[in-house]
Amino acid sequence: MSSLLMKEIPLMVQPSLAKELGLNEALFLQQLNYWIERSTKKIDGKYWIYNTIEAWHKQFPFWSISTIKRIISNLEKEKLIITGNFNKISMDRTKWYTINYSLLQEIENKINADKEKENLENLIDGEISNEENEITISSKWNNGKCQNETAIGSKWNNGKCQNEPSNTIYNNIDYKHKKTTTTNNDVDVVENNDIKERVILLSSKCGIQAKNMRVFFNKYCLEDIEKQLKNLSNVMKENKVKNPAGWLRSALDNNFVFVNNTKNDEVNVDKESVDEQIKKQKDMQRKALTSFI
Protein backbone atom coordinates (compact mmCIF):
# COMPACT_ATOMS: atom_id res chain seq x y z
CA MET A 1 0.00 0.00 0.00
CA SER A 2 1.28 3.45 -0.91
CA SER A 3 2.45 5.67 1.94
CA LEU A 4 0.60 8.57 0.26
CA LEU A 5 -2.80 7.10 1.12
CA MET A 6 -4.26 8.34 4.44
CA LYS A 7 -0.94 8.65 6.27
CA GLU A 8 -1.63 12.33 6.92
CA ILE A 9 -4.69 13.98 8.46
CA PRO A 10 -7.06 14.29 5.48
CA LEU A 11 -9.01 17.36 4.44
CA MET A 12 -12.67 16.35 4.19
CA VAL A 13 -15.73 18.03 2.74
CA GLN A 14 -19.32 17.00 2.09
CA PRO A 15 -20.09 16.45 -1.61
CA SER A 16 -23.40 18.35 -1.32
CA LEU A 17 -21.58 21.44 -0.01
CA ALA A 18 -18.91 21.18 -2.72
CA LYS A 19 -21.64 20.91 -5.36
CA GLU A 20 -23.34 24.04 -4.04
CA LEU A 21 -20.29 26.27 -3.43
CA GLY A 22 -17.51 24.73 -5.49
CA LEU A 23 -14.84 22.32 -4.24
CA ASN A 24 -12.22 24.93 -3.30
CA GLU A 25 -14.64 27.16 -1.40
CA ALA A 26 -16.17 24.15 0.40
CA LEU A 27 -12.74 22.88 1.48
CA PHE A 28 -11.71 26.29 2.82
CA LEU A 29 -15.02 26.75 4.64
CA GLN A 30 -14.73 23.31 6.24
CA GLN A 31 -11.19 24.03 7.47
CA LEU A 32 -12.25 27.44 8.76
CA ASN A 33 -15.08 25.79 10.70
CA TYR A 34 -12.56 23.33 12.19
CA TRP A 35 -10.56 26.18 13.72
CA ILE A 36 -13.61 28.25 14.78
CA GLU A 37 -14.90 25.29 16.80
CA ARG A 38 -11.60 25.37 18.74
CA SER A 39 -11.42 29.15 19.11
CA THR A 40 -11.69 30.96 22.43
CA LYS A 41 -11.90 34.43 20.83
CA LYS A 42 -15.55 35.44 21.20
CA ILE A 43 -16.44 38.89 19.88
CA ASP A 44 -19.99 40.25 19.40
CA GLY A 45 -21.46 36.83 20.11
CA LYS A 46 -19.35 35.06 17.46
CA TYR A 47 -16.16 33.01 17.67
CA TRP A 48 -13.33 34.24 15.46
CA ILE A 49 -9.91 33.05 14.31
CA TYR A 50 -7.13 35.07 12.72
CA ASN A 51 -4.64 33.99 10.08
CA THR A 52 -2.33 35.41 7.44
CA ILE A 53 -2.46 34.33 3.81
CA GLU A 54 0.96 32.70 4.28
CA ALA A 55 -0.40 30.68 7.21
CA TRP A 56 -3.36 29.55 5.11
CA HIS A 57 -0.94 28.54 2.39
CA LYS A 58 0.80 26.17 4.82
CA GLN A 59 -2.53 24.44 5.42
CA PHE A 60 -3.32 24.32 1.69
CA PRO A 61 0.07 23.83 0.04
CA PHE A 62 -1.56 22.55 -3.18
CA TRP A 63 -3.06 26.02 -3.79
CA SER A 64 -1.11 29.07 -4.81
CA ILE A 65 -1.34 32.22 -2.71
CA SER A 66 -3.36 33.92 -5.46
CA THR A 67 -5.83 31.02 -5.47
CA ILE A 68 -6.29 31.29 -1.69
CA LYS A 69 -6.92 35.03 -1.99
CA ARG A 70 -9.49 34.38 -4.71
CA ILE A 71 -11.27 31.71 -2.62
CA ILE A 72 -11.51 34.04 0.38
CA SER A 73 -12.74 36.86 -1.85
CA ASN A 74 -15.42 34.61 -3.36
CA LEU A 75 -16.68 33.56 0.07
CA GLU A 76 -16.74 37.18 1.23
CA LYS A 77 -18.78 38.20 -1.85
CA GLU A 78 -21.24 35.38 -1.14
CA LYS A 79 -21.36 36.62 2.50
CA LEU A 80 -20.58 33.13 3.76
CA ILE A 81 -17.55 34.34 5.71
CA ILE A 82 -17.22 37.55 7.68
CA THR A 83 -13.84 39.19 8.06
CA GLY A 84 -12.64 41.85 10.48
CA ASN A 85 -9.66 43.37 12.22
CA PHE A 86 -9.52 43.05 15.99
CA ASN A 87 -5.75 43.34 16.35
CA LYS A 88 -4.41 45.34 19.28
CA ILE A 89 -1.80 47.03 17.11
CA SER A 90 -3.39 49.24 14.43
CA MET A 91 -0.60 48.51 11.95
CA ASP A 92 -1.31 44.77 12.12
CA ARG A 93 -3.44 43.93 9.05
CA THR A 94 -3.94 40.26 9.85
CA LYS A 95 -7.52 39.30 8.99
CA TRP A 96 -9.92 37.72 11.44
CA TYR A 97 -12.49 35.25 10.12
CA THR A 98 -15.82 33.78 11.15
CA ILE A 99 -18.61 31.97 9.29
CA ASN A 100 -22.07 33.32 8.55
CA TYR A 101 -23.83 30.27 9.99
CA SER A 102 -27.35 31.63 9.45
CA LEU A 103 -26.75 31.93 5.69
CA LEU A 104 -25.12 28.51 5.70
CA GLN A 105 -28.28 27.13 7.33
CA GLU A 106 -30.36 28.58 4.48
CA ILE A 107 -28.12 26.77 1.99
CA GLU A 108 -28.49 23.55 3.97
CA ASN A 109 -32.28 23.92 3.91
CA LYS A 110 -32.18 24.35 0.13
CA ILE A 111 -29.97 21.26 -0.26
CA ASN A 112 -32.32 19.22 1.96
CA ALA A 113 -35.37 20.44 0.02
CA ASP A 114 -33.73 19.40 -3.25
CA LYS A 115 -32.96 15.97 -1.78
CA GLU A 116 -36.55 15.57 -0.58
CA LYS A 117 -37.82 16.48 -4.04
CA GLU A 118 -35.47 13.96 -5.63
CA ASN A 119 -36.58 11.28 -3.15
CA LEU A 120 -40.22 11.96 -3.95
CA GLU A 121 -39.53 11.78 -7.68
CA ASN A 122 -37.76 8.44 -7.29
CA LEU A 123 -40.52 7.18 -5.01
CA ILE A 124 -43.36 8.06 -7.38
CA ASP A 125 -41.40 6.76 -10.39
CA GLY A 126 -41.13 3.45 -8.56
CA GLU A 127 -44.87 3.42 -7.79
CA ILE A 128 -45.80 4.07 -11.43
CA SER A 129 -43.29 1.47 -12.61
CA ASN A 130 -44.91 -1.10 -10.31
CA GLU A 131 -48.32 -0.25 -11.73
CA GLU A 132 -47.08 -0.71 -15.28
CA ASN A 133 -45.60 -4.11 -14.41
CA GLU A 134 -48.96 -5.26 -13.08
CA ILE A 135 -50.87 -4.49 -16.25
CA THR A 136 -51.75 -7.50 -18.39
CA ILE A 137 -49.05 -8.04 -21.01
CA SER A 138 -50.28 -8.25 -24.60
CA SER A 139 -53.68 -9.65 -23.61
CA LYS A 140 -56.14 -9.53 -26.51
CA TRP A 141 -59.48 -11.01 -27.42
CA ASN A 142 -60.02 -12.31 -30.94
CA ASN A 143 -63.62 -13.22 -31.89
CA GLY A 144 -64.46 -14.14 -28.30
CA LYS A 145 -61.58 -16.62 -28.04
CA CYS A 146 -58.84 -16.44 -25.48
CA GLN A 147 -55.20 -16.45 -26.55
CA ASN A 148 -52.57 -18.13 -24.38
CA GLU A 149 -50.86 -14.93 -23.27
CA THR A 150 -49.17 -14.09 -19.96
CA ALA A 151 -50.97 -11.98 -17.36
CA ILE A 152 -49.28 -10.52 -14.27
CA GLY A 153 -51.05 -10.42 -10.89
CA SER A 154 -54.42 -11.60 -12.18
CA LYS A 155 -57.10 -13.80 -10.65
CA TRP A 156 -59.79 -15.64 -12.57
CA ASN A 157 -63.40 -15.28 -11.45
CA ASN A 158 -65.58 -17.93 -13.10
CA GLY A 159 -63.20 -17.99 -16.05
CA LYS A 160 -63.55 -20.88 -18.44
CA CYS A 161 -60.04 -20.49 -19.81
CA GLN A 162 -57.08 -20.68 -17.40
CA ASN A 163 -55.17 -18.02 -19.32
CA GLU A 164 -58.20 -15.77 -19.65
CA PRO A 165 -57.08 -12.15 -18.98
CA SER A 166 -60.46 -10.89 -17.74
CA ASN A 167 -61.19 -9.39 -14.31
CA THR A 168 -57.59 -8.34 -13.61
CA ILE A 169 -56.97 -7.67 -9.92
CA TYR A 170 -53.74 -6.30 -8.50
CA ASN A 171 -52.90 -8.74 -5.71
CA ASN A 172 -49.96 -7.00 -4.08
CA ILE A 173 -51.51 -3.55 -3.66
CA ASP A 174 -54.25 -2.85 -1.15
CA TYR A 175 -55.32 0.73 -1.68
CA LYS A 176 -57.90 2.24 0.61
CA HIS A 177 -59.24 4.24 -2.31
CA LYS A 178 -59.47 2.07 -5.41
CA LYS A 179 -57.18 3.01 -8.29
CA THR A 180 -58.21 3.02 -11.93
CA THR A 181 -59.18 -0.51 -13.05
CA THR A 182 -58.17 -1.55 -16.56
CA THR A 183 -59.80 -4.19 -18.71
CA ASN A 184 -57.51 -3.82 -21.73
CA ASN A 185 -54.03 -2.71 -22.70
CA ASP A 186 -54.92 0.88 -23.53
CA VAL A 187 -53.69 2.29 -20.20
CA ASP A 188 -52.96 5.99 -20.14
CA VAL A 189 -49.93 6.47 -17.87
CA VAL A 190 -49.37 10.06 -19.02
CA GLU A 191 -52.08 11.35 -16.70
CA ASN A 192 -50.40 9.70 -13.70
CA ASN A 193 -47.10 11.29 -14.69
CA ASP A 194 -48.75 14.72 -14.72
CA ILE A 195 -50.32 14.12 -11.32
CA LYS A 196 -46.95 12.86 -10.06
CA GLU A 197 -45.24 16.14 -10.94
CA ARG A 198 -47.97 18.18 -9.27
CA VAL A 199 -47.92 16.02 -6.11
CA ILE A 200 -44.13 16.39 -5.84
CA LEU A 201 -44.35 20.17 -5.95
CA LEU A 202 -47.31 20.37 -3.57
CA SER A 203 -45.88 17.99 -0.96
CA SER A 204 -42.53 19.80 -1.03
CA LYS A 205 -44.31 23.15 -0.67
CA CYS A 206 -46.28 21.84 2.31
CA GLY A 207 -43.13 20.48 3.98
CA ILE A 208 -44.05 16.77 3.95
CA GLN A 209 -41.08 14.40 3.91
CA ALA A 210 -40.63 11.60 1.39
CA LYS A 211 -40.85 8.89 4.07
CA ASN A 212 -44.34 10.14 4.96
CA MET A 213 -45.39 10.39 1.33
CA ARG A 214 -44.39 6.74 0.88
CA VAL A 215 -47.14 5.79 3.33
CA PHE A 216 -49.71 7.83 1.42
CA PHE A 217 -48.72 6.38 -1.96
CA ASN A 218 -49.14 2.86 -0.62
CA LYS A 219 -52.56 3.62 0.87
CA TYR A 220 -54.29 6.23 -1.29
CA CYS A 221 -54.61 7.05 -4.97
CA LEU A 222 -52.73 9.97 -6.53
CA GLU A 223 -55.91 11.90 -7.36
CA ASP A 224 -57.06 11.94 -3.72
CA ILE A 225 -53.57 12.88 -2.49
CA GLU A 226 -53.39 15.78 -4.93
CA LYS A 227 -56.86 17.05 -3.94
CA GLN A 228 -56.08 17.04 -0.22
CA LEU A 229 -52.63 18.56 -0.74
CA LYS A 230 -54.36 21.48 -2.46
CA ASN A 231 -56.69 21.77 0.53
CA LEU A 232 -53.70 21.66 2.89
CA SER A 233 -51.94 24.37 0.89
CA ASN A 234 -55.03 26.61 1.17
CA VAL A 235 -55.30 25.98 4.92
CA MET A 236 -51.60 26.81 5.45
CA LYS A 237 -52.10 30.23 3.85
CA GLU A 238 -54.22 31.33 6.81
CA ASN A 239 -53.27 28.93 9.63
CA LYS A 240 -50.07 27.45 10.99
CA VAL A 241 -50.15 23.66 10.57
CA LYS A 242 -47.65 22.07 12.95
CA ASN A 243 -48.00 18.58 11.50
CA PRO A 244 -48.77 18.74 7.75
CA ALA A 245 -48.41 14.96 7.32
CA GLY A 246 -50.88 14.29 10.12
CA TRP A 247 -53.31 16.81 8.65
CA LEU A 248 -53.04 15.15 5.23
CA ARG A 249 -53.68 11.69 6.66
CA SER A 250 -56.77 12.90 8.51
CA ALA A 251 -57.99 14.70 5.38
CA LEU A 252 -57.61 11.54 3.27
CA ASP A 253 -59.32 9.38 5.89
CA ASN A 254 -62.24 11.80 6.35
CA ASN A 255 -62.42 13.16 2.78
CA PHE A 256 -62.08 16.83 3.76
CA VAL A 257 -63.83 19.38 1.55
CA PHE A 258 -62.19 22.81 1.53
CA VAL A 259 -64.88 25.46 2.00
CA ASN A 260 -64.10 29.01 0.94
CA ASN A 261 -66.32 31.56 2.69
CA THR A 262 -66.08 34.28 -0.02
CA LYS A 263 -69.41 35.33 -1.56
CA ASN A 264 -68.52 34.50 -5.15
CA ASP A 265 -67.38 30.92 -4.46
CA GLU A 266 -69.80 28.07 -5.05
CA VAL A 267 -69.81 25.14 -2.66
CA ASN A 268 -71.21 21.76 -3.67
CA VAL A 269 -73.14 21.13 -0.46
CA ASP A 270 -76.70 21.74 0.68
CA LYS A 271 -77.12 25.35 1.83
CA GLU A 272 -78.72 24.26 5.08
CA SER A 273 -75.74 22.12 6.06
CA VAL A 274 -72.89 24.50 5.14
CA ASP A 275 -72.35 25.82 8.67
CA GLU A 276 -72.57 22.33 10.11
CA GLN A 277 -70.01 20.93 7.66
CA ILE A 278 -67.64 23.85 8.22
CA LYS A 279 -67.78 23.29 11.98
CA LYS A 280 -67.29 19.53 11.59
CA GLN A 281 -64.28 19.92 9.33
CA LYS A 282 -62.68 22.54 11.56
CA ASP A 283 -62.97 20.08 14.43
CA MET A 284 -61.33 17.35 12.34
CA GLN A 285 -58.59 19.73 11.21
CA ARG A 286 -57.79 20.68 14.81
CA LYS A 287 -57.50 17.00 15.68
CA ALA A 288 -55.28 16.46 12.63
CA LEU A 289 -52.83 19.13 13.80
CA THR A 290 -51.93 17.05 16.82
CA SER A 291 -51.92 13.63 15.14
CA PHE A 292 -48.83 11.81 13.91
CA ILE A 293 -48.35 9.71 10.83
Side-chain angles (χ1 to χ4, degrees), residues 38 87 224 230 261 263 277 292:
R38 289 155 179 77
N87 300 304
D224 288 345
K230 288 179 180 178
N261 292 325
K263 295 181 179 179
Q277 288 201 20
F292 292 90

Side-chain angles (χ1 to χ4, degrees), residues 14 16-17 20-21 80 100-116:
Q14 293 195 52
S16 56
L17 183 63
E20 193 70 26
L21 304 182
L80 276 165
N100 186 348
Y101 287 103
S102 59
L103 180 57
L104 193 61
Q105 184 62 51
E106 293 179 12
I107 294 174
E108 181 182 350
N109 293 340
K110 176 181 178 299
I111 292 172
N112 291 336
D114 291 341
K115 286 181 180 178
E116 282 296 325

Side-chain angles (χ1 to χ4, degrees), residues 89-292:
I89 302 176
S90 59
M91 296 180 61
D92 188 351
R93 300 300 180 185
T94 303
K95 270 188 175 183
W96 291 56
Y97 302 84
T98 191
I99 294 176
N100 186 348
Y101 287 103
S102 59
L103 180 57
L104 193 61
Q105 184 62 51
E106 293 179 12
I107 294 174
E108 181 182 350
N109 293 340
K110 176 181 178 299
I111 292 172
N112 291 336
D114 291 341
K115 286 181 180 178
E116 282 296 325
K117 182 178 179 181
E118 183 179 356
N119 289 339
L120 283 171
E121 289 175 343
N122 294 336
L123 176 63
I124 301 180
D125 284 340
E127 290 291 327
I128 292 177
S129 176
N130 288 338
E131 287 183 24
E132 292 173 346
N133 289 335
E134 287 160 0
I135 297 172
T136 303
I137 299 177
S138 301
S139 299
K140 296 180 181 178
W141 288 90
N142 290 328
N143 299 323
K145 297 181 180 180
C146 173
Q147 297 179 347
N148 293 329
E149 295 172 339
T150 305
I152 296 179
S154 54
K155 289 182 178 178
W156 322 114
N157 296 330
N158 299 322
K160 296 181 180 180
C161 175
Q162 184 177 358
N163 291 320
E164 186 175 295
S166 62
N167 298 327
T168 301
I169 299 175
Y170 300 142
N171 300 329
N172 60 339
I173 297 181
D174 182 20
Y175 292 124
K176 180 169 182 178
H177 299 283
K178 190 176 180 181
K179 290 197 172 185
T180 303
T181 303
T182 60
T183 56
N184 54 47
N185 290 335
D186 300 327
V187 180
D188 188 7
V189 185
V190 176
E191 183 178 355
N192 272 352
N193 288 334
D194 292 339
I195 296 175
K196 174 194 71 173
E197 294 296 332
R198 295 196 296 269
V199 167
I200 289 172
L201 292 174
L202 281 170
S203 60
S204 178
K205 178 182 177 182
C206 293
I208 301 178
Q209 297 181 354
K211 65 179 181 180
N212 291 331
M213 291 305 299
R214 184 177 289 107
V215 176
F216 298 129
F217 292 138
N218 288 335
K219 194 174 181 182
Y220 309 98
C221 70
L222 284 174
E223 290 86 351
D224 288 345
I225 295 173
E226 181 187 24
K227 181 180 74 174
Q228 296 301 344
L229 278 171
K230 288 179 180 178
N231 288 343
L232 175 58
S233 179
N234 287 328
V235 170
M236 293 178 73
K237 290 177 182 178
E238 299 179 359
N239 302 283
K240 184 177 180 181
V241 180
K242 294 182 179 179
N243 183 8
W247 191 100
L248 180 58
R249 184 184 66 175
S250 183
L252 289 165
D253 287 341
N254 296 284
N255 194 23
F256 283 1
V257 177
F258 182 76
V259 179
N260 195 323
N261 292 325
T262 57
K263 295 181 179 179
N264 296 328
D265 289 339
E266 294 183 0
V267 182
N268 295 325
V269 293
D270 294 336
K271 293 182 179 179
E272 297 178 356
S273 62
V274 169
D275 292 337
E276 182 180 349
Q277 288 201 20
I278 292 175
K279 182 179 178 181
K280 181 180 178 181
Q281 291 204 31
K282 284 184 177 180
D283 289 340
M284 287 190 292
Q285 290 173 10
R286 280 195 293 269
K287 293 179 181 178
L289 297 180
T290 57
S291 64
F292 292 90

Side-chain angles (χ1 to χ4, degrees), residues 24-37:
N24 289 355
E25 285 74 12
L27 273 172
F28 185 90
L29 200 66
Q30 183 66 57
Q31 188 70 357
L32 178 56
N33 179 72
Y34 172 85
W35 291 116
I36 289 175
E37 287 182 340

